[in-house]
């Protein structure tokens, strides 16, 4: 895998160079910026591109459309929050446990659904997020509809709670990089090729001898772990966990990934880099008045993109590059 | 007890009419319309606007709403769905799911998020059936749903155009060889599908609150009903819906009203383990 990565780095020199510059900029940005608001916006971009990536692995790569990705975010966030607030367990340990529990939950959903066609999986995820929302809202042990509020006395790395945004910023950046590393690993190993085959045609994949349910499950494990990790971060960042903030993220997660480009590494980053700043600045500017209008616009964009360019902005970029290359190649010959 | 069963039955009948439309689109085109009950929400608002604007009773606006939704169905097919029919599952699912976001926020934008209700329609007051007391709106909605459901069943099973629809459902490659215009059949499936869910919306508007997210619960109930009844089966969709109506009413009574959907969706997930093809479906 290492050599392959090296080769792909050589062949995409400019792209990797750009990534490096961006990363260095991202690392040094908080040092030269004292204003908390841009930090907030950028860390939300990081968080949502990690969450988008978790959806992308399951839905973009393996083609198993999850319409309730936030159920995994919610379980991860709730496990660490309950352990932290009720039992004083460090959120970092809670995060690991949350990831494991969410993976087990994902396994339970995937086991029956992955034998069936993709649409049954989509319906099941839609049903599960509803069940989870109702159960959590009614379950007093996890705070019910009010949610869990963190005591604001413990600060620092052990408690995953900070007064400054810069620490959250670096954690979110790290999480996004972890998510990208997972995708890179999948793309460069045989798993990626298997998943793409499964997405394009499950019957063909089966005929080629790919253990289809097993590879769907592998993508499920990656996806749930990343989503749960993001859930813990989000709860720690907000300093509370309630059903509305943790179980209602499915649509934005899906939307930004579709917009950026499903089935590609940087699709979620492009999508969240575009949508999250618009959303955050719009919220400050209109304080909720534009809510319906921007949702209206988002819904239109999803349908529009899916119909015209299913691979999102990445797809548009690729087709432009293809055309450019063709025109360059044809000129000297002609 | 009688009260619970009878109100479950009548609720189930309306779910049935919603599910039938979903089942037809699913069966004929092999495609799940995730925005199905959001079109119902649209129909409910149409009914409400006709009532508050012109004073037309929901029972009289029913044919108007059905016609409007039929036209919307054909248009949506022609403009959007036609482009994704041959596409990947991801594309189809996201396309109709995008419509959910679009339709709900459209309603929010145009008519705000306030709960609306039609006050004193003709079908108001209560009716006694055996020892149970139901609102007249609910009874009218249930009976009309079964009647309209039967009409749809008749169109599909007894008319030439219905046979053409079924032929398209069975094999869209060989249907054109029999002189069937597949494109027209798909448009018709969307038309009939949305017309029947529109009828359900107009009937529900008699006694149900109207708000932008009203479709969410119905959507899941209908999806569950269709997966249980087997896609493409009008009869199966109706029967499964009535069953869901019973389960919902019973679990609301014996456990807690808030948990009735947990029970319904939980049972659905359980059923996927056991019989994924549904009661009347032949394959998954």
């Amino acid at each position: 895998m290492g050599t392959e990565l090296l080769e792909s780095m050589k062949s995409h020199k400019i792209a990797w160079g750009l990534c490096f510059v961006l990363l260095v900029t991202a690392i040094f940005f908080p040092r030269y910026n004292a204003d908390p608001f841009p930090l907030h916006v950028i860390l939300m971009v990081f968080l949502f591109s990690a969450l988008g990536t978790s959806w992308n692995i399951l839905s973009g790569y393996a083609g198993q459309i999850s319409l309730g990705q936030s159920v995994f975010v919610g379980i991860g966030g709730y496990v660490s929050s309950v352990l932290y607030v009720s039992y004083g367990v460090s959120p970092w340990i809670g995060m690991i446990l949350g990831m494991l529990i969410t993976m087990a939950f994902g396994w339970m959903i995937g086991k029956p659904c992955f034998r069936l066609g993709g649409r049954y999986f989509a319906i099941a995820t839609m049903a599960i997020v509803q069940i989870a929302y109702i159960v959590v809202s009614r379950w007093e042990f996890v705070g019910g509809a009010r949610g869990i509020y963190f005591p604001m006395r413990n600060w620092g790395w052990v408690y995953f709670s900070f007064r400054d945004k810069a620490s959250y910023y670096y954690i979110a950046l790290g999480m996004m990089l972890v998510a990208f590393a997972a995708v890179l690993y999948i793309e460069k190993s045989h798993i990626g090729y298997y998943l793409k085959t499964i997405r394009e045609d499950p019957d063909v994949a089966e005929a080629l001898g790919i253990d289809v349910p097993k590879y769907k499950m592998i993508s499920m494990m990656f996806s749930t772990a990343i989503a749960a990790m993001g859930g813990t971060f989000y709860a720690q960042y907000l300093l509370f966990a309630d059903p509305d903030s943790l179980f209602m993220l499915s649509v934005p997660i899906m939307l930004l990934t579709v917009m950026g480009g499903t089935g590609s590494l940087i699709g979620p980053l492009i999508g969240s880099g575009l949508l999250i700043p618009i959303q955050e600045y719009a919220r400050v500017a209109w304080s909720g008045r534009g809510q319906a209008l921007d949702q209206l616009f988002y819904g239109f964009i999803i349908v529009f993109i899916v119909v015209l360019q299913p691979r999102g902005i990445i797809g548009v970029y690729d087709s432009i590059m293809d055309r450019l290359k063709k025109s360059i190649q044809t000129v000297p010959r002609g | 007890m009688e009260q619970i069963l009878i109100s479950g039955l009548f609720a189930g009948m309306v779910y049935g009419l919603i599910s039938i439309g979903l089942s037809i689109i699913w069966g004929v085109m092999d495609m799940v319309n995730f925005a199905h009950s959001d079109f119902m929400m649209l129909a409910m608002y149409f009914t409400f606007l006709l009532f508050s604007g012109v004073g037309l009773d929901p029972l009289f606006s029913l044919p108007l709403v059905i016609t409007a939704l039929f036209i919307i169905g054909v248009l949506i097919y022609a403009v959007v769905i036609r482009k994704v029919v041959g596409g990947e599952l991801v594309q189809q699912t996201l396309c109709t799911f995008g419509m959910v976001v679009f339709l709900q926020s459209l309603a929010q934008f145009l008519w705000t998020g306030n709960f609306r209700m039609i006050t004193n329609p003709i079908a108001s007051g209560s009716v006694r059936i055996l020892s149970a007391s139901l609102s007249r709106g609910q009874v009218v909605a249930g009976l009309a749903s079964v009647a309209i459901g039967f009409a749809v069943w008749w169109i599909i099973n007894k008319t030439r155009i219905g046979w053409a629809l079924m032929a398209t459902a069975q094999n869209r490659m060989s249907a054109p060889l029999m002189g069937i215009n597949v494109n027209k059949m798909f448009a018709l499936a969307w038309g009939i599908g949305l017309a029947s869910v529109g009828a359900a919306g107009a009937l529900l508007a008699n006694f149900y609150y109207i708000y932008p997210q009203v479709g969410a619960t119905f959507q899941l109930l209908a999806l569950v009903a269709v997966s249980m009844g087997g896609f493409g089966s009008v009869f199966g969709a109706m029967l499964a819906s009535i069953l869901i109506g019973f389960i919902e009413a019973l679990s609301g009574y014996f456990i807690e009203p808030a948990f009735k959907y947990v029970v319904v969706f939980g049972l659905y997930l359980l059923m996927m383990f056991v019989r994924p093809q549904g009661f009347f479906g032949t394959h998954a």
Side-chain angles (χ1 to χ4, degrees), chain A residues 116 119 130 138 254 296 306, chain B residues 30 91 97 105 220 256 276:
Chain A
L116 309 170
R119 64 199 50 182
Q130 289 273 339
R138 294 269 152 178
M254 207 155 46
L296 189 69
V306 164
Chain B
D30 198 25
Q91 206 183 349
F97 199 78
S105 45
L220 262 173
E256 200 198 324

Side-chain angles (χ1 to χ4, degrees), chain A residues 153-175:
Chain A
R153 42 193 151 79
N154 306 321
W155 303 100
W157 282 89
V158 179
Y159 303 103
F160 202 146
S161 318
F162 309 95
R163 286 206 181 88
D164 62 322
K165 295 224 187 285
S167 311
Y168 284 117
Y169 175 95
Y170 285 117
I171 296 173
L173 176 63
M175 284 185 173

Side-chain angles (χ1 to χ4, degrees), chain B residues 30-77:
Chain B
D30 198 25
M31 176 174 192
V32 181
N33 177 15
F34 282 94
H36 197 62
S37 63
D38 293 291
F39 287 107
M40 183 191 84
M41 176 270 296
L42 218 55
M44 288 173 88
Y45 271 107
F46 286 165
T47 316
F48 175 78
L49 291 177
L50 283 173
F51 180 79
S52 65
V54 204
L56 203 58
D57 189 85
L59 290 182
F60 296 117
S61 52
L62 183 66
L64 293 178
V65 173
I66 292 178
T67 318
L69 267 282
F70 183 89
I71 294 168
I72 291 178
V74 173
L75 284 180
I76 291 271
Y77 171 77

Side-chain angles (χ1 to χ4, degrees), chain B residues 32-257:
Chain B
V32 181
N33 177 15
F34 282 94
H36 197 62
S37 63
D38 293 291
F39 287 107
M40 183 191 84
M41 176 270 296
L42 218 55
M44 288 173 88
Y45 271 107
F46 286 165
T47 316
F48 175 78
L49 291 177
L50 283 173
F51 180 79
S52 65
V54 204
L56 203 58
D57 189 85
L59 290 182
F60 296 117
S61 52
L62 183 66
L64 293 178
V65 173
I66 292 178
T67 318
L69 267 282
F70 183 89
I71 294 168
I72 291 178
V74 173
L75 284 180
I76 291 271
Y77 171 77
V79 177
V80 182
I81 304 298
R82 200 161 54 88
K83 308 258 170 45
V84 298
V85 168
E88 283 178 24
L89 186 66
V90 185
Q91 206 183 349
Q92 296 182 353
T93 308
L94 290 174
C95 180
T96 55
F97 199 78
M99 284 183 202
V100 176
V101 180
F102 180 77
L103 289 173
Q104 286 188 7
S105 45
L106 182 72
Q108 182 99 28
F109 180 68
L110 290 177
W111 304 303
T112 76
N114 295 341
F115 280 54
R116 316 273 189 174
M117 186 135 199
I118 292 177
T119 41
N120 288 322
I122 293 176
S124 59
S126 65
V127 191
R128 288 198 78 78
I129 300 169
L130 299 175
S131 68
S133 154
L134 287 169
S135 80
R136 185 166 283 143
Q138 214 175 346
V139 174
V140 168
L143 294 178
S145 293
V146 172
I148 295 169
F150 181 77
V152 173
W153 176 86
W154 186 81
I155 291 172
I156 289 192
N157 287 286
K158 300 289 172 195
T159 64
R160 283 183 66 85
I161 202 147
W163 295 341
L165 263 180
M166 284 206 288
T168 315
Q170 277 175 4
N171 194 329
R172 73 173 72 159
M173 295 301 171
S174 58
L177 303 177
M178 308 293 129
I180 296 169
N181 184 337
V182 174
N183 219 3
K184 264 189 194 157
M185 286 302 123
F186 286 169
L188 184 68
W190 267 81
I192 296 179
L194 291 204
S196 50
V197 81
L203 291 168
L204 271 175
N206 270 310
F207 62 96
Y208 210 86
Y209 287 112
I210 304 164
Y211 55 100
Q213 288 81 27
V214 67
T217 323
F218 289 99
Q219 178 68 33
L220 262 173
L221 288 175
L223 282 172
V224 171
V226 175
S227 331
M228 275 167 80
F231 53 84
S233 159
V234 170
F235 182 68
M238 188 49 117
L239 212 65
S241 300
I242 290 175
L243 185 69
I244 288 174
F246 282 138
I247 296 173
E248 188 194 289
L250 287 171
S251 54
Y253 178 74
F254 285 109
I255 305 170
E256 200 198 324

Side-chain angles (χ1 to χ4, degrees), chain A residues 72-82 98 102 150 227-228 230-233 235 241 246:
Chain A
F72 307 128
V73 181
I75 293 175
Y78 261 96
V79 167
S80 65
S81 305
V82 169
T102 311
F150 294 1
T232 299
F233 175 85
L246 284 176

Side-chain angles (χ1 to χ4, degrees), chain A residues 54-66 69 199 262, chain B residues 90:
Chain A
S54 92
W55 184 82
N56 199 17
I57 293 173
L58 187 57
S59 308
Y61 283 88
Q64 302 303 299
I65 305 114
S66 155
Q69 193 67 10
R199 181 189 65 200
T262 47
Chain B
V90 185

Side-chain angles (χ1 to χ4, degrees), chain A residues 65-295:
Chain A
I65 305 114
S66 155
L67 296 179
Q69 193 67 10
S70 65
V71 79
F72 307 128
V73 181
I75 293 175
Y78 261 96
V79 167
S80 65
S81 305
V82 169
L83 286 175
Y84 175 45
V85 174
S86 304
Y87 301 99
V89 179
S90 163
W92 293 103
I93 298 170
M95 182 176 90
I96 305 288
L97 281 174
M99 285 162 79
L100 291 175
I101 290 172
T102 311
M103 284 161 89
F105 187 75
W107 187 85
M108 270 162 49
I109 300 171
K111 200 66 191 157
C113 294
F114 287 161
R115 282 186 293 134
L116 309 170
R119 64 199 50 182
Y120 289 93
F121 178 71
I123 297 169
T125 50
M126 210 175 165
I128 283 161
V129 82
Q130 289 273 339
I131 295 179
Y133 184 84
I134 297 172
V135 169
V136 170
S137 311
R138 294 269 152 178
W139 193 7
E140 275 312 308
F141 177 65
V142 299
R146 269 178 306 112
I148 303 172
Y149 285 81
F150 294 1
M152 307 249 191
R153 42 193 151 79
N154 306 321
W155 303 100
W157 282 89
V158 179
Y159 303 103
F160 202 146
S161 318
F162 309 95
R163 286 206 181 88
D164 62 322
K165 295 224 187 285
S167 311
Y168 284 117
Y169 175 95
Y170 285 117
I171 296 173
L173 176 63
M175 284 185 173
M176 183 180 77
L177 293 178
V178 167
F180 285 171
V183 174
L184 219 50
Y185 168 74
I186 290 171
E187 270 202 3
K188 297 296 169 195
S189 69
H190 66 288
I191 303 172
Y193 297 105
Y194 284 7
L195 289 183
K196 273 176 196 165
T197 318
I198 292 170
R199 181 189 65 200
E200 312 246 300
D201 198 325
D203 295 332
V204 168
E206 194 109 35
L208 289 171
I210 297 173
D211 186 348
V212 174
K214 180 184 154 194
Y215 281 91
K216 286 179 182 173
M217 193 58 89
I218 290 177
S219 76
M220 177 68 125
M221 294 297 107
F222 275 106
S223 174
T224 46
I226 296 169
M229 184 174 76
T232 299
F233 175 85
Y234 200 38
Q236 292 300 133
Y237 180 58
L238 296 173
L239 291 170
F240 66 84
D242 74 347
D244 280 315
S245 49
L246 284 176
F247 284 103
M248 289 295 178
L249 300 172
S250 303
V251 173
I253 290 174
M254 207 155 46
L255 168 69
L256 60 90
T257 315
V258 172
M259 193 164 168
T262 47
S264 82
L265 173 66
I266 55 167
L269 179 60
I270 293 178
S272 70
L274 274 172
L275 285 185
I276 300 292
I278 295 177
Q279 179 192 312
E280 293 297 314
Y281 281 102
R283 210 181 45 172
V284 173
W286 299 319
S287 61
R289 241 185 330 134
Q291 185 80 49
L293 201 59
D294 66 3
Q295 290 284 321

